[in-house]
Amino acid sequence: MIRFKLDKYTTENIDKITSIYHFPKDAIAIRICFAFSIQQGKKYELNNLVAPPSDGREFLPTSNIFGRIIDSRDNFFVFQGILSVHYGMEINSDLFVKLFKLHCEDGATKIINKLSGIDFTSGEHFSFLLKHAQKGLDLQSDQILVSNNYTANTV
């Protein structure tokens, strides 16, 4: 089980994003920030990687952040796989925590900066979010092949 703390600055930005969009949990904003950073192509130099401070909110158990999939297994491995593909190498647990925190920080900072110039009364903040969600879906359709013959097992 992965245990980590975000830095104070990222925690504050996550709280702002959670409040702006009225998300019921901060985990939604964290996932969006992480995905936004990856979608923007941000990559860190792994040789001298320094994680941000751990003076913000602590996350334990990881299911608060990563969610759960079939059989109550944690989605941590899905996020670890995303980073492994993004960096073109296997990402171990220690490196995962550093990269996850850095990508959350990057995404949160970029989203807050983008939202600072948006007219909330006209709903531009929703248009911003939906535009990037659609962009991610467009990328996904080019990269993931799904069989049309898939049949879900029902229990």
Side-chain angles (χ1 to χ4, degrees):
M1 184 175 284
I2 301 290
R3 176 182 183 162
F4 66 94
K5 281 185 172 185
L6 292 176
D7 64 285
K8 185 177 180 179
Y9 176 73
T10 301
T11 299
E12 290 170 0
N13 282 340
I14 294 290
D15 288 345
K16 288 177 190 174
I17 294 166
T18 300
S19 175
I20 288 168
Y21 288 105
H22 301 287
F23 293 138
K25 296 184 183 254
D26 58 2
I28 298 167
I30 292 169
R31 292 175 196 158
I32 289 170
C33 293
F34 171 80
F36 189 78
S37 178
I38 298 292
Q39 184 186 70
Q40 300 295 307
K42 177 68 176 179
K43 285 193 177 180
Y44 291 93
E45 177 59 48
L46 301 180
N47 293 334
N48 298 316
L49 192 65
V50 178
S54 296
D55 57 353
R57 188 168 301 123
E58 182 174 18
F59 294 95
L60 179 75
T62 58
S63 61
N64 290 338
I65 299 300
F66 306 117
R68 296 200 173 270
I69 56 175
I70 300 169
D71 298 328
S72 297
R73 292 187 331 211
D74 192 88
N75 276 344
F76 158 75
F77 297 105
V78 173
F79 286 81
Q80 188 178 27
I82 290 168
L83 285 174
S84 293
V85 169
H86 187 66
Y87 284 91
M89 62 180 279
E90 186 175 338
I91 302 295
N92 65 33
S93 295
D94 291 335
L95 184 55
F96 171 81
V97 170
K98 290 177 187 174
L99 287 171
F100 187 80
K101 289 169 63 171
L102 287 165
H103 280 288
C104 287
E105 176 185 40
D106 176 63
T109 300
K110 287 179 178 174
I111 289 172
I112 288 296
N113 288 341
K114 295 277 187 186
L115 292 176
S116 67
I118 286 179
D119 179 15
F120 288 88
T121 59
S122 68
E124 284 184 56
H125 59 304
F126 288 112
S127 296
F128 166 78
L129 186 62
L130 291 173
K131 176 180 129 186
H132 289 286
Q134 182 61 50
K135 185 177 176 185
L137 291 172
D138 290 344
L139 287 172
Q140 181 181 12
S141 67
D142 290 342
Q143 296 177 358
I144 298 175
L145 300 175
V146 178
S147 170
N148 291 335
N149 298 328
Y150 175 76
T151 306
N153 293 332
T154 56
V155 179

